[in-house]
Amino acid sequence: NDQIADAYVTASAVTDWGNVVSVRVGLLMRTVDEYGVDEDRQTYNVNGTTINPTDDRRRRRIFTTTVQIRNRS
């Protein structure tokens, strides 16, 4: 009721969409082409989801943002 997020859960875990006050978005981006000689063998954590991409020579970066939902009816 205070319009402040108390927890972030996956969309499938939301039980009452009327209580949603903000949304957290995470993107794992990668280059189109492979680059350099070192393979990217790391795993990535995007909003609690572990992603283990194919070991290749692409560069990757995570972008996250949180959006407040306003003017809900």
Side-chain angles (χ1 to χ4, degrees), residues 40-42 52-58 60:
D40 179 6
R41 296 176 182 261
Q42 81 180 57
N52 186 8
T54 304
D55 295 339
D56 57 20
R57 295 185 332 266
R58 289 182 170 88
R60 291 176 174 80

Side-chain angles (χ1 to χ4, degrees), residues 3 13 16 20 28 38 40 47 49-50 55 60 69-70:
Q3 298 298 305
D16 184 356
V20 175
L28 174 62
D38 296 328
D40 179 6
N47 289 346
T49 299
T50 301
D55 295 339
R60 291 176 174 80
I69 300 174
R70 299 177 59 191

